[in-house]
Amino acid sequence: MSESQSIEYKSSWRDEYLKWICGFANAQGGKLYIGVDDNGYVCGVSNIKRLLEDIPNKLQTSLGIVTEVNKKEKDGLEYIEIIVVPSSFSVSYRGEFHYRSGATKQQLTGIALTEFIAKKTGVRWEDAVVEDIRVEDLDIPNEDLLKKLHLMEGEKLKRSAVLLFYSDPSRVQNGSYVKIGRFGDGADLQYQDTIEDSLIKIADKVIDVIYLKYLKAKITYEHDRRVETYPYARNAIREAVYNAIVHNCYMFGSPVQIRVENESIIVSNRCVLPDGWTAETLMNPHDSIPYNPDIANVFYRAGYIENWGRGIEKICDACRELGADLPKYEIVGNGLRIYFSALKSAMISENEATEGGDVGINVGINEQKVIGLIVENSHISAVEVSEKLSISLRQAERIFARLKEKKLIERVGARKNGYWKVKNATTKT
């Protein structure tokens, strides 16, 4: 029998092999054989009596665990079997934490170590308290509600509360935002946006920015009714973005990223999946096991997501309804990516885009950027737009005028105290 997740062979004993036993205890358990070579053949040990006394004592003093240490014999050769059961608490060897993964031993450090200890102790990353942000600093300064949502520990806010309802969550954890980029061929980044706010506010902003600034809809007419069809199912993109925000492992310090390409959209986030889960698990019916339960609970109660593990099924249903290909999931290290392919019949050709006419929302790149800026800040002025886009004030004013003429935006209220409103056309998504 070859070495595996639960079996390790050593031809002789060395004290450093306590690290391997530590790895088994921290993982799913396993067996370490002393006196067996790498190919699984028994070569025997000469000092077995002393080892049968020393090894249990060293396990107790160095690791704090008790294991079964047995003498075995085959073809006249004696060897040792050490049976290690999974430990309910974290086990360290001289301050080092080791873990059995596949047929190898790994030393846990950094984020991997933090995540491991959190699992063993039952204390989640989102449960840690924040010292310098108070209830009255949040978008929802309601202490009773926050306690009912399990977002407070005593009189202090948890990290989850700050990420959900504080306007600058990156203050407690870098990367607590969403980044969107429009790419041409390869690494050609044409423009980008960083959406920063409390997670509950970011959720809606992101979808509006994607569909108003980054995508164009193709126009068709049904019984004299104008219909705009986007190349991606809005319900599918929305569900994927909400899932990424809710399940992102913010501990890595990486934002949710949305890459808009010519014929695809890629939504990615950092993740720690339940043990044994793969990309195939996600595409099949599965239980709801959120990485950030408290954040997920708030999004569920706010109506953004459901809590039966059907999110990906809903994404696939929305793609089928539009007629688009089903998305593809990919796990790369600690990154989860979902790839959406554009519906070819809803894409606008280069000739159509060049000729103009009644295609898509028929706006230029700067006009799209202005719409995105309005979504982010409905009170934005022409002066602020000119500064953000590095264009003249006159150019900014002309863009506002064109967007009003095309009935894509409207001014609500007085010039001084009013605000801009983006008008949504009838869409088929």
Side-chain angles (χ1 to χ4, degrees):
M1 182 182 295
S2 60
E3 293 181 329
S4 65
Q5 169 81 27
S6 58
I7 294 177
E8 178 77 23
Y9 299 132
K10 299 297 180 184
S11 57
S12 60
W13 172 259
R14 296 180 184 174
D15 285 353
E16 67 180 274
Y17 296 151
L18 290 168
K19 298 177 183 178
W20 272 257
I21 297 173
C22 175
F24 279 131
N26 284 328
Q28 286 79 46
K31 297 179 180 179
L32 176 65
Y33 291 94
I34 310 299
V36 181
D37 65 21
D38 291 341
N39 296 316
Y41 295 107
V42 175
C43 56
V45 288
S46 57
N47 54 345
I48 192 167
K49 183 177 180 180
R50 179 172 60 81
L51 288 177
L52 288 172
E53 295 177 355
D54 288 351
I55 291 176
N57 291 331
K58 289 178 178 179
L59 290 173
Q60 176 66 43
T61 57
S62 298
L63 302 180
I65 61 174
V66 176
T67 64
E68 196 174 325
V69 181
N70 303 315
K71 181 176 77 172
K72 297 285 185 176
E73 183 177 337
K74 183 177 182 180
D75 298 331
L77 296 173
E78 295 179 326
Y79 64 101
I80 294 174
E81 174 191 60
I82 304 172
I83 302 176
V84 185
V85 298
S87 174
S88 59
F89 57 88
S90 54
V91 177
S92 68
Y93 172 70
R94 296 181 179 178
E96 298 175 353
F97 291 83
H98 300 271
Y99 193 85
R100 182 75 173 188
S101 178
T104 63
K105 175 194 70 64
Q106 299 177 356
Q107 182 178 343
L108 300 176
T109 59
I111 291 174
L113 176 58
T114 302
E115 181 66 26
F116 166 75
I117 294 176
K119 282 185 177 181
K120 287 292 185 180
T121 60
V123 178
R124 302 185 301 266
W125 178 88
E126 66 172 355
D127 288 336
V129 298
V130 178
E131 297 289 344
D132 56 347
I133 299 177
R134 300 169 299 177
V135 172
E136 51 266 34
D137 297 326
L138 304 184
D139 296 332
I140 301 180
N142 186 322
E143 185 171 329
D144 289 339
L145 176 60
L146 293 170
K147 286 182 175 179
K148 287 180 180 179
L149 293 171
H150 308 294
L151 300 178
M152 296 186 69
E153 186 67 40
E155 299 303 313
K156 294 183 179 180
L157 295 171
K158 293 183 180 179
R159 279 190 183 132
S160 50
V162 175
L163 264 63
L164 281 162
F165 299 121
Y166 187 61
S167 60
D168 183 19
S170 291
R171 179 174 165 183
V172 296
Q173 179 58 57
N174 290 331
S176 302
Y177 58 90
V178 176
K179 185 164 63 175
I180 312 171
R182 178 65 173 90
F183 288 80
D185 295 329
D188 175 27
L189 176 60
Q190 297 176 346
Y191 52 91
Q192 62 181 325
D193 285 280
T194 297
I195 313 298
E196 297 178 289
D197 209 327
S198 60
L199 296 187
I200 206 73
K201 287 186 175 180
I202 282 177
D204 284 329
K205 286 185 178 181
V206 170
I207 305 304
D208 287 340
V209 170
I210 291 173
Y211 277 84
L212 291 170
K213 182 175 179 179
Y214 285 79
L215 300 178
K216 289 186 176 182
K218 193 159 188 175
I219 303 301
T220 57
Y221 290 88
E222 297 179 1
H223 306 293
D224 296 328
R225 182 171 63 93
R226 170 183 164 124
V227 178
E228 295 180 352
T229 304
Y230 284 93
Y232 306 95
R234 187 183 182 103
N235 287 342
I237 298 297
R238 180 172 55 234
E239 187 74 25
V241 171
Y242 290 172
N243 284 344
I245 292 173
V246 167
H247 301 299
N248 188 40
C249 181
Y250 292 97
M251 183 167 53
F252 283 95
S254 299
V256 173
Q257 299 185 38
I258 302 167
R259 182 182 176 111
V260 182
E261 300 182 344
N262 293 331
E263 297 186 6
S264 64
I265 289 181
I266 305 167
V267 180
S268 62
N269 66 280
R270 292 287 185 174
C271 72
V272 178
L273 294 176
D275 290 339
W277 282 35
T278 64
E280 291 183 4
T281 307
L282 297 173
M283 292 301 291
N284 293 306
H286 57 271
D287 294 335
S288 175
I289 309 178
Y291 177 74
N292 302 307
D294 290 339
I295 293 176
N297 179 53
V298 171
F299 269 71
Y300 163 67
R301 292 181 180 276
Y304 287 101
I305 63 172
E306 51 82 60
N307 65 348
W308 283 93
R310 297 184 303 117
I312 296 176
E313 291 182 62
K314 292 169 67 177
I315 290 173
C316 293
D317 289 345
C319 290
R320 291 190 189 97
E321 184 178 349
L322 181 66
D325 293 338
L326 296 184
K328 296 179 181 178
Y329 278 79
E330 178 183 53
I331 299 173
V332 180
N334 293 112
L336 175 65
R337 298 174 185 164
I338 177 170
Y339 294 80
F340 291 94
S341 297
L343 177 66
K344 296 295 190 292
S345 62
M347 294 181 63
I348 300 171
S349 68
E350 291 185 10
N351 289 337
E352 288 175 312
T354 302
E355 293 170 3
D358 195 14
V359 294
I361 58 176
N362 193 23
V363 295
I365 290 178
N366 275 341
E367 291 174 337
Q368 288 179 330
K369 290 180 179 179
V370 170
I371 290 175
L373 291 173
I374 292 173
V375 170
E376 295 175 21
N377 177 13
S378 62
H379 297 278
I380 196 165
S381 67
V383 173
E384 292 172 310
V385 166
S386 67
E387 292 174 352
K388 288 181 177 291
L389 299 185
S390 299
I391 59 177
S392 68
L393 175 58
R394 189 171 181 80
Q395 284 177 301
E397 289 173 340
R398 285 201 296 263
I399 292 173
F400 274 104
R402 287 199 299 270
L403 291 175
K404 287 175 66 179
E405 183 180 340
K406 295 174 182 177
K407 300 186 185 304
L408 294 173
I409 64 173
E410 66 174 327
R411 186 70 179 178
V412 179
R415 180 181 180 86
K416 184 177 181 180
N417 299 318
Y419 61 92
W420 293 103
K421 179 180 179 182
V422 176
K423 301 174 69 175
N424 293 320
T426 301
T427 59
K428 182 179 180 181
T429 58

